[in-house]
Amino acid sequence: MDTPVIKKKLGLKDRYAAMTRDLAWDTTYQPMDKVFPYDKYEGIKIHDWDKWEDPFRLTMDAYWKYQGEKEKKLYAVIEAFAQNNGQLGITDARYVNALKLFLTGVTPLEYYAYRGFAHAGRQFTGAGARVACQMQSIDELRHHQTETHALSHYNKYFNGLHSPQHMFDRVWYLSVPKSFFEDAYTGGPFEFLTAVSFSFEYVLTNLLFVPFMSGAAHNGDMSTVTFGFSAQSDESRHMTLGIECIKFMLEQDPDNVPIVQGWIDKWFWRGYRLLSIVAMMQDYMLPKRVMSWRESWEMYVEDNGEALFKDLARYGIRKPKGWIQACEGKDHISHQTFAVFYNYSAAAALHTWIPKEEEMAWLSEKYPETFDQVYKPRWDYWREQADKGNRFYQKTLPMLCQTCQIPMIFTEPGDATKISYRESDYLGNKYHCCSDHCKEIFDNEPEKYVQAWLPPQQVYQGNCFKPDADPTQEGFDPLLAVLDYYNLKVGSDNFDFDGSEDQKNFAAWRGDSTEGAQK
Amino acid sequence: MSVVALKPYSFPAKDVRENFPAPLLFIGWDDHLMFGSPVALPLPPDTPFGALGTAVLPGIYGYHPDFARIDWDKVEWLKSGQPWTPDPAKSLAENGLKHKDVIRFRTPGLSGINGSCN
């Protein structure tokens, strides 16, 4: 009798190892450094790629199955939302402006992340890191698609959602997220991982996804909640990649520590500046508030960050340089950012408004040391003027920070009444920054930031008109020509929420649907 | 070169003077945060400095109730954060203003809505 042959089935870990390590080989007829030129030039020393612990420990078949199931659930909810006219269930049409900001400011970043990880995934000589980057790359592409699909329903009913990709490359405030990612993916692959996987995904992403999605839930937007949850389960994998890549670099060679610390300093600050739009969304743009920016900052950054950097201290890593200033900013940045959008609402593809009395009371309560003293007086004055038909719009283009590309709205540490100006000279030209940390980032790599595509400068250089625009023609209005170049529909996408089509339509539809329900 | 790169890294700066119809000047009004940020303006170098207060700034800052009350003889100017005394009769260029300089003005006694710096 033959002895039966027992075929041993590989465990998940072995299957993953087979899929990653076994896919790698050393080149023979070309030097490895020529085939992989990117994974050494930044100065990061890797002695043993096999020490990389794979955070994406899923085999490809399990990954497709798992993601496929999530997609089915997601699209079922999106479809049900559409069929049941879910847009009528949101708290207030003002809420949709948070979605406009998300679609134009965040969704294109998912696409950039997809490109960045695909690039990094090609460049590492370590197969584990390569596969992890490729898997994350696929996730990011999926996020770009699901967010676009989920929000496209709103595009049928509300203004400002029609050209996110076009606007991303052109509209002034969108240069902030765009420059963040272009800075990251024009760094080397290890800097990219530190910037996106660690500083953004690990340290700061909770601030983006958790309050945004809780905000969506509180405001009746179940479609957005679903894509948020669907993405968030990927985010936890991405966060694991973030912490793993940092620890891996630090453990491989002590020479890596100062390089990584420099990147953490830079990217914590750039990420923090980028999240100003989330701060204003939380404090001003959600008709039903979840928690203040200050509270989220304390929970997700101060508490979690303290523990994280305590943990990293054994490698010789300290908290990012701008930590104290960023923590001080929790009392200010949401107010400063929404105020500048209020100033420039004529040139934005979203509406702004003056907070209602009860919303101001909420802000006073959440910001007991700053709101009444520093920020409320301007809202009160603007309201007084708006009531007289004299709504304030700033028509002159703002001065921007050369690094973060945000208008120079941020104030001096310790004095919220003084704009913080910093200046550098480089090759006979002047460059201006909003803070010590943005200046330091500029001064470290001026060659990079002198190429910044700053929207006001580009407008004044005449680069923001459509090809057929003729500035010499009589009656040429440069502002209208710029808005045309943005593909912004004047009178429906911009200006104040009060009196907007969004406001009127929503009120009419809600009236109809309430009447219908009563009948 | 401080950028770490695979190959020589040298690209033209986007905002050099030659790219603009006129030099860019950044102007901020201290203690008036209602305007949120300083502004950027391309201004011909032969513009008299005094024209800022009479012709340029009213369109930018005139919305503020303090603006009409400014006594331009008492205004304090700062250039690159340092106290500075321009000659209003001379042009911007004669006052030494170059492309992408930043100047600020303070209006003693006028510090925003109810003194709130707004």
Side-chain angles (χ1 to χ4, degrees):
Chain A
M1 199 173 88
D2 292 340
T3 315
V5 179
I6 298 165
K7 224 179 178 181
K8 201 180 161 208
K9 214 176 164 188
L10 290 178
L12 190 61
K13 198 175 171 185
D14 295 327
R15 274 199 285 162
Y16 193 78
M19 195 188 84
T20 56
R21 306 307 198 257
D22 289 0
L23 281 178
W25 66 86
D26 282 352
T27 54
T28 50
Y29 58 88
Q30 286 288 344
M32 280 293 275
D33 285 349
K34 209 173 156 193
V35 179
F36 293 94
Y38 288 88
D39 80 349
K40 287 215 177 84
Y41 84 94
E42 295 167 280
I44 294 291
K45 294 176 184 161
I46 304 296
H47 302 291
D48 182 4
W49 275 105
D50 281 337
K51 291 262 165 50
W52 175 275
E53 282 291 329
D54 295 324
F56 278 67
R57 196 165 288 150
L58 278 171
T59 55
M60 208 55 102
D61 51 350
Y63 181 82
W64 298 135
K65 183 171 176 285
Y66 179 58
Q67 298 295 64
E69 281 167 9
K70 283 205 305 189
E71 293 284 273
K72 274 184 209 148
K73 285 179 197 155
L74 169 70
Y75 283 95
V77 174
I78 293 177
E79 207 177 295
F81 189 79
Q83 286 187 9
N84 293 307
N85 284 317
Q87 78 282 357
L88 295 176
I90 56 171
T91 44
D92 179 348
R94 285 187 302 165
Y95 164 75
V96 179
N97 292 285
L99 299 181
K100 296 176 192 177
L101 200 55
F102 194 95
L103 182 66
T104 51
V106 179
T107 301
L109 296 187
E110 305 276 18
Y111 195 77
Y112 271 26
Y114 145 71
R115 290 173 62 187
F117 281 105
H119 175 72
R122 161 65 181 81
Q123 303 305 339
F124 290 125
T125 40
R130 284 219 299 264
V131 172
C133 286
Q134 284 163 4
M135 301 285 256
Q136 176 157 353
S137 175
I138 297 166
D139 281 350
E140 304 291 3
L141 183 57
R142 178 176 164 270
H143 296 173
H144 178 85
Q145 291 170 334
T146 54
E147 288 165 16
T148 306
H149 287 157
L151 295 181
S152 69
H153 176 73
Y154 286 96
N155 183 37
K156 296 177 199 161
Y157 301 97
F158 296 93
N159 295 320
L161 292 147
H162 48 81
S163 311
Q165 214 60 47
H166 178 94
M167 289 180 175
F168 185 64
D169 290 326
R170 293 167 180 79
V171 175
W172 58 277
Y173 51 92
L174 299 176
S175 79
V176 175
K178 181 179 161 76
S179 77
F180 174 93
F181 246 96
E182 290 185 347
D183 190 353
Y185 78 28
T186 51
F190 285 110
E191 182 177 351
F192 178 78
L193 284 193
T194 311
V196 179
S197 293
F198 179 71
S199 301
F200 198 77
E201 303 261 9
Y202 196 82
V203 184
L204 298 167
T205 197
N206 273 331
L207 276 173
L208 174 65
F209 270 91
V210 181
F212 215 110
M213 298 316 148
S214 330
H218 273 72
N219 288 281
D221 176 11
M222 298 324 282
S223 179
T224 297
V225 175
T226 315
F227 85 60
F229 285 157
S230 176
Q232 190 63 21
S233 58
D234 298 337
E235 297 302 322
S236 37
R237 265 199 321 271
H238 302 170
M239 290 172 74
T240 325
L241 174 63
I243 193 72
E244 169 54 26
C245 78
I246 283 288
K247 288 189 171 170
F248 177 68
M249 284 189 275
L250 298 172
E251 279 166 5
Q252 284 287 310
D253 199 294
D255 287 354
N256 295 342
V257 175
I259 303 176
V260 171
Q261 180 72 60
W263 288 335
I264 291 176
D265 290 345
K266 170 182 172 181
W267 288 102
F268 168 75
W269 189 257
R270 289 226 61 186
Y272 163 67
R273 279 291 189 240
L274 172 60
L275 288 180
S276 306
I277 54 171
V278 183
M280 85 168 182
M281 190 270 306
Q282 270 183 266
D283 283 346
Y284 285 87
M285 299 179 76
L286 298 179
K288 265 196 192 167
R289 266 72 160 161
V290 182
M291 67 198 305
S292 67
W293 169 254
R294 180 192 162 116
E295 287 163 326
S296 321
W297 183 265
E298 286 169 353
M299 180 186 295
Y300 293 114
V301 179
E302 289 183 10
D303 296 350
N304 294 355
E306 287 289 338
L308 167 68
F309 284 100
K310 210 176 264 179
D311 185 34
L312 292 176
R314 66 195 156 105
Y315 298 104
I317 290 291
R318 52 160 174 72
K319 275 191 279 198
K321 264 187 188 166
W323 187 268
I324 293 170
Q325 289 78 5
C327 291
E328 188 186 324
K330 71 187 172 189
D331 274 322
H332 303 286
I333 63 167
S334 66
H335 316 296
Q336 294 168 345
T337 311
F338 196 65
V340 83
F341 271 86
Y342 186 83
N343 266 246
Y344 286 102
S345 245
L350 51 87
H351 301 298
T352 55
W353 51 86
I354 295 163
K356 295 176 179 169
E357 275 306 330
E358 64 270 23
E359 293 169 335
M360 296 257 235
W362 184 88
L363 289 164
S364 302
E365 184 202 322
K366 295 293 179 186
Y367 294 94
E369 285 140 35
T370 53
F371 186 72
D372 286 358
Q373 299 85 325
V374 188
Y375 302 105
K376 192 167 181 287
R378 82 180 72 155
W379 289 116
D380 287 340
Y381 184 75
W382 280 336
R383 186 206 300 275
E384 196 187 301
Q385 292 299 309
D387 288 347
K388 290 184 200 159
N390 188 25
R391 203 277 198 200
F392 175 53
Y393 289 108
Q394 172 64 278
K395 294 175 206 82
T396 311
L397 306 183
M399 171 187 182
L400 303 193
C401 170
Q402 189 78 25
T403 302
C404 68
Q405 304 201 8
I406 298 176
M408 299 268 295
I409 56 174
F410 300 111
T411 45
E412 286 289 354
D415 187 351
T417 65
K418 298 277 175 287
I419 298 282
S420 156
Y421 294 83
R422 297 292 181 274
E423 190 172 305
S424 295
D425 281 286
Y426 180 66
L427 299 180
N429 278 294
K430 276 201 188 326
Y431 297 92
H432 303 274
C433 289
C434 67
S435 54
D436 289 329
H437 304 291
C438 276
K439 175 176 159 54
E440 197 170 309
I441 293 168
F442 174 87
D443 289 342
N444 278 336
E445 296 174 298
E447 305 90 334
K448 195 166 192 180
Y449 300 101
V450 300
Q451 304 170 59
W453 194 95
L454 300 177
Q457 271 87 323
Q458 291 300 313
V459 169
Y460 285 138
Q461 288 179 32
N463 297 332
C464 298
F465 303 130
K466 281 185 173 168
D468 57 353
D470 179 9
T472 59
Q473 211 172 36
E474 207 182 323
F476 178 80
D477 183 328
L479 176 63
L480 287 179
V482 169
L483 298 183
D484 187 35
Y485 166 80
Y486 289 171
N487 217 4
L488 192 150
K489 297 193 173 66
V490 175
S492 50
D493 291 344
N494 57 348
F495 300 127
D496 205 281
F497 177 76
D498 280 338
S500 67
E501 282 178 2
D502 277 3
Q503 183 197 36
K504 287 178 195 156
N505 289 339
F506 187 71
W509 299 328
R510 270 283 265 272
D512 288 348
S513 76
T514 323
E515 262 175 45
Q518 281 166 352
K519 279 176 199 166
Chain B
M1 185 173 87
S2 48
V3 163
V4 177
L6 271 176
K7 293 175 182 171
Y9 189 100
S10 176
F11 300 93
K14 277 261 192 297
D15 294 338
V16 290
R17 165 68 189 91
E18 300 76 59
N19 293 350
F20 290 82
L24 213 53
L25 185 63
F26 300 117
I27 306 174
W29 184 8
D30 277 8
D31 301 332
H32 290 80
L33 291 169
M34 189 193 287
F35 300 99
S37 73
V39 295
L41 285 170
L43 291 173
D46 55 359
T47 310
F49 191 88
L52 290 182
T54 53
V56 178
L57 299 179
I60 301 170
Y61 294 122
Y63 188 87
H64 201 289
D66 278 355
F67 191 80
R69 299 200 279 266
I70 296 176
D71 177 350
W72 288 96
D73 293 334
K74 287 195 181 142
V75 166
E76 297 165 6
W77 290 92
L78 295 114
K79 187 182 159 200
S80 291
Q82 298 302 314
W84 178 61
T85 314
D87 181 342
K90 288 187 174 166
S91 70
L92 300 178
E94 285 163 345
N95 272 295
L97 289 174
K98 294 194 179 69
H99 181 51
K100 294 211 285 174
D101 264 335
V102 59
I103 58 172
R104 294 149 58 185
F105 61 106
R106 280 187 190 148
T107 46
L110 301 173
S111 52
I113 309 295
N114 302 324
S116 68
C117 293
N118 276 289

